[in-house]
Amino acid sequence: HTNSTDLPAMSQAGDTNIAEEGAEAPDKHLPVDMEPAADVTEETEKADTEKEKSRSSSGAGGGEAAPPAAPATPSAAADAAGAEQPADGEGGEVAIAENNEEAAAAAAAAAAAAEAEAEAAKLTVLDLIKSKIVLTDYLMDETFTEEHAVFIETEFLQSSHSNLLVAYAHPKAGLQFDTSFPTMRLTEFFYFMKSSTIEEGQEITVENFNDLIQYGSISGMGIDCMLRVMNELYAPVFFANKDWPDTIRNDFSLQLHKFMSSLTDTRWKLEDKTVLYVPIEGMDLTSEEAAKDKDLIQRLEMILIHWTRQIKDVTGSQNAFDDDDKAGPLDEINFWKNRCEDLSGISKQLDKPGVKKITAHLEAAKSSYVANFLKLASEIKKNTAQAQSNLKFLTSLKDMCYELADAKPKDIPGMLQKLVNRIRMIWTNSDHYNNKESMTGIFRKLSNEIIRRCCAEISLDKIFQGYITSSVNSLNECITCCKKWKESILRPQKSISDSPRTRGTWTRAASLPRWTRSSSAAKTCWRSASVRATSLATRRATRRSCQFLAAHAARRSRPSCSRWRACSRSCSRPSGTRKTPFWM
């Protein structure tokens, strides 16, 4: 039981407990007509004020917001809950409109990103082209301009008529792009080629760039680069392909071997060398296995025939050089130098395992072309020894020939005797350069060099311009030079008399006037000189023999001694009145 005076105290205690527990408990302990106490109201207002301050401070400072304070009274909690719930009328429509605007903005941003990506794809193709070009002493980032980008875009990427793009360094204009190969000689360039599978109007992108565009660089001579690419890249790929039908593969391999043989020969002929094309096909087979493949043997025979033709051209090149009427002595020395290197190179190539492997395959197949090739191979070794010997002796003339090539006509007569003596040394000691053809060739080339020096000294312009004294002196010097040269080669008596052995080659050189191709008078002069020298030596030997036989016959008192005495008297007469002995 409670008294009525105790009710206000109890109600105040209950309200205090409710305020401490928070806003979750309903305000059911208070009667409807009872109002909250004044101190509770003040506490509620203070809590609301602190809550607003915390919200404003968190929004202004940008830091982490503190958790909201609990309302002091149940009515305040209800008011706060009602303020947080969205209203059903005008507030809902505003939220829907805001969501629609956000969706439209997102769609516009996606479209802009797609356009930017498409634009970036075109630029990336240009970047790919620019990054792949490699030219000596050129950096694309520094030399590549906007004009170059426009040219590539319009003339190559977007054009359906241009399938080639060439980048090269012009000596004066710098980095240049063109849709065709330039006519000027280039040592290095980079190219891009469209594939034949590209369709009309098909766009070149980053994804299909490697499928539609073939690119690469060429440095040095074009034929040299082609030979390297074919030998190291395409030929091994083609010969390793086993997926083709046999008929197509055999025919293609035969034509490829023909092309590679001609390409190899042409490339090395530019340097006056002979290189044999050795294929890689059939190198992994034994001779018995290769002999069973008739198509392979046919291709190897074709290669062997080409080798035979190359060797015949080398052995026959000497005759072609001998017929050159404009060559000089230095050309003769260079010819034998190149020939020695060429023949030595062929000899080394004939000893390579690849060549021996092919000849073994053909011998196992009993090919009829092997015997002729082996015969030519043995001749190559003999010709190599001959070329080395000739080069060794002709090198002794090199310094004098250089002096002759730079000399004035007035200085040439002092060099002639030394040149002739050196040629005679070669004729005496050489085992291969002592024949008539070789001597004829070296003297003819010396004559060509003297003629060139005289022609270089005579100036028709000075003659017609009135320089009489200097022109007459030049002409007289040239005439004197030519006369001295004729005397040097038309006076062999002393050389024959001083010769340590009689070889007969100088005597047989009655055709020596062909070295100079001068006149019939020179021919007669040389022939008479040769006859006089020969007759003198013959008369002396014959006279001594006849005197010995005559004395012997006189002691025997034979009637035939008068004939021997007559022979002795006839041999002592001058050559013009000499009677020919009966045995001659």
Side-chain angles (χ1 to χ4, degrees):
H1 298 282
T2 60
N3 297 323
S4 59
T5 58
D6 298 328
L7 288 177
M10 294 175 61
S11 63
Q12 292 179 0
D15 292 339
T16 302
N17 295 331
I18 292 174
E20 292 176 357
E21 292 174 1
E24 296 180 357
D27 195 8
K28 60 183 179 179
H29 298 283
L30 295 176
V32 178
D33 56 347
M34 186 176 294
E35 294 181 1
D39 55 350
V40 177
T41 304
E42 291 178 358
E43 292 177 1
T44 303
E45 290 176 356
K46 290 180 181 180
D48 294 338
T49 303
E50 292 177 359
K51 183 178 181 181
E52 290 177 0
K53 288 182 179 181
S54 63
R55 288 181 180 178
S56 62
S57 63
S58 63
E64 186 177 356
T73 60
S75 60
D79 295 338
E84 292 177 359
Q85 294 179 1
D88 292 337
E90 185 177 355
E93 295 177 357
V94 173
I96 293 173
E98 291 178 354
N99 293 334
N100 292 336
E101 290 178 358
E102 292 178 357
E115 293 179 0
E117 186 178 356
E119 186 68 21
K122 294 182 180 179
L123 295 176
T124 306
V125 173
L126 290 175
D127 292 339
L128 278 176
I129 292 177
K130 185 172 68 172
S131 63
K132 294 182 181 300
I133 297 175
V134 179
L135 295 175
T136 305
D137 299 333
Y138 277 87
L139 298 177
M140 291 298 107
D141 295 336
E142 299 178 359
T143 57
F144 194 85
T145 62
E146 186 65 25
E147 296 179 357
H148 296 151
V150 173
F151 180 85
I152 295 173
E153 184 72 26
T154 56
E155 299 296 333
F156 180 67
L157 294 178
Q158 297 179 0
S159 176
S160 59
H161 303 288
S162 300
N163 295 325
L164 177 66
L165 178 66
V166 179
Y168 61 95
H170 194 275
K172 297 181 179 180
L175 179 63
Q176 296 292 318
F177 288 89
D178 201 348
T179 55
S180 62
F181 280 105
T183 56
M184 62 179 297
R185 182 179 179 86
L186 297 174
T187 58
E188 182 183 18
F189 62 89
F190 205 95
Y191 66 89
F192 296 88
M193 288 190 300
K194 292 181 181 178
S195 175
S196 59
T197 59
I198 190 171
E199 299 178 357
E200 184 72 21
Q202 185 177 1
E203 184 180 3
I204 299 174
T205 62
V206 179
E207 290 75 13
N208 59 13
F209 183 85
N210 292 328
D211 297 332
L212 300 180
I213 301 296
Q214 181 182 355
Y215 54 89
S217 63
I218 294 178
S219 59
M221 294 188 301
I223 189 172
D224 188 19
C225 183
M226 180 185 294
L227 181 61
R228 291 197 306 267
V229 172
M230 291 297 299
N231 275 331
E232 303 298 333
L233 181 61
Y234 291 114
V237 172
F238 290 144
F239 290 130
N241 189 1
K242 305 296 183 181
D243 299 333
W244 292 356
D246 292 340
T247 55
I248 297 177
R249 184 173 179 272
N250 292 332
D251 184 65
F252 183 83
S253 299
L254 180 63
Q255 300 301 326
L256 182 59
H257 283 312
K258 288 182 179 179
F259 173 73
M260 292 301 298
S261 299
S262 301
L263 181 63
T264 304
D265 191 18
T266 304
R267 184 261 173 273
W268 290 107
K269 273 186 177 179
L270 298 176
E271 300 182 5
D272 294 331
K273 295 181 180 179
T274 302
V275 177
L276 306 179
Y277 164 67
V278 181
I280 61 175
E281 187 181 18
M283 294 294 105
D284 55 344
L285 301 176
T286 62
S287 299
E288 291 75 12
E289 294 174 348
K292 297 178 181 179
D293 191 347
K294 301 302 180 182
D295 295 324
L296 176 61
I297 293 299
Q298 182 181 0
R299 294 192 291 271
L300 296 181
E301 284 180 342
M302 184 273 299
I303 295 172
L304 191 71
I305 292 173
H306 189 81
W307 290 351
T308 304
R309 189 181 301 114
Q310 287 180 283
I311 295 175
K312 286 183 177 179
D313 291 341
V314 173
T315 55
S317 62
Q318 182 177 355
N319 298 329
F321 179 75
D322 291 338
D323 296 336
D324 189 4
D325 293 334
K326 297 181 180 179
L330 291 176
D331 297 327
E332 176 81 2
I333 297 173
N334 292 331
F335 168 77
W336 284 107
K337 179 181 178 182
N338 295 332
R339 184 175 176 82
C340 182
E341 293 176 355
D342 199 8
L343 292 174
S344 300
I346 294 177
S347 298
K348 293 179 180 178
Q349 293 178 64
L350 293 176
D351 295 333
K352 286 186 176 181
V355 177
K356 292 184 176 295
K357 189 84 170 179
I358 291 176
T359 53
H361 289 348
L362 295 177
E363 286 178 346
K366 298 180 180 180
S367 175
S368 59
Y369 299 101
V370 180
N372 189 22
F373 175 76
L374 295 178
K375 181 180 178 181
L376 287 175
S378 61
E379 292 180 2
I380 283 292
K381 297 184 181 299
K382 295 180 181 178
N383 292 334
T384 302
Q386 177 185 358
Q388 291 175 350
S389 175
N390 292 344
L391 179 62
K392 179 180 67 175
F393 284 101
L394 288 175
T395 305
S396 62
L397 293 173
K398 191 173 183 179
D399 295 336
M400 290 184 289
C401 291
Y402 274 116
E403 294 177 1
L404 179 63
D406 297 332
K408 297 286 186 180
K410 63 180 180 180
D411 301 329
I412 292 178
M415 307 177 182
L416 297 179
Q417 192 60 42
K418 187 177 180 180
L419 272 171
V420 174
N421 291 338
R422 189 62 58 87
I423 294 174
R424 182 177 177 276
M425 182 273 295
I426 296 174
W427 164 77
T428 305
N429 297 284
S430 176
D431 294 331
H432 303 283
Y433 211 80
N434 58 354
N435 51 60
K436 177 181 177 180
E437 291 77 12
S438 299
M439 290 291 108
T440 301
I442 190 62
F443 273 99
R444 183 170 63 243
K445 292 174 177 61
L446 285 172
S447 299
N448 293 337
E449 188 63 38
I450 294 174
I451 291 171
R452 275 199 292 267
R453 299 313 306 158
C454 292
C455 292
E457 185 67 19
I458 299 172
S459 176
L460 295 178
D461 295 335
K462 288 186 176 181
I463 293 175
F464 291 115
Q465 289 174 4
Y467 296 92
I468 298 175
T469 304
S470 60
S471 300
V472 170
N473 292 335
S474 298
L475 290 172
N476 289 330
E477 290 174 358
C478 293
I479 292 172
T480 303
C481 175
C482 293
K483 287 183 178 180
K484 293 294 184 181
W485 171 238
K486 183 182 292 186
E487 291 176 2
S488 298
I489 63 175
L490 297 182
R491 193 177 37 196
Q493 294 94 329
K494 188 174 184 300
S495 298
I496 293 178
S497 61
D498 295 340
S499 178
R501 54 191 176 122
T502 303
R503 302 182 62 162
T505 306
W506 284 91
T507 304
R508 290 199 309 269
S511 58
L512 186 62
R514 277 184 270 172
W515 301 342
T516 58
R517 299 182 181 273
S518 55
S519 62
S520 58
K523 297 180 183 179
T524 304
C525 179
W526 168 251
R527 190 174 291 110
S528 61
S530 300
V531 170
R532 284 198 302 271
T534 307
S535 301
L536 180 62
T538 304
R539 284 202 310 271
R540 289 176 178 174
T542 306
R543 185 170 62 249
R544 288 194 295 269
S545 300
C546 292
Q547 289 174 353
F548 172 77
L549 292 175
H552 183 72
R555 288 195 299 270
R556 295 292 184 115
S557 300
R558 291 187 178 182
S560 59
C561 64
S562 59
R563 180 177 296 178
W564 292 112
R565 285 194 292 272
C567 293
S568 177
R569 287 193 299 272
S570 65
C571 291
S572 62
R573 294 173 183 175
S575 60
T577 59
R578 179 176 63 87
K579 294 182 180 180
T580 304
F582 68 93
W583 65 82
M584 298 181 63

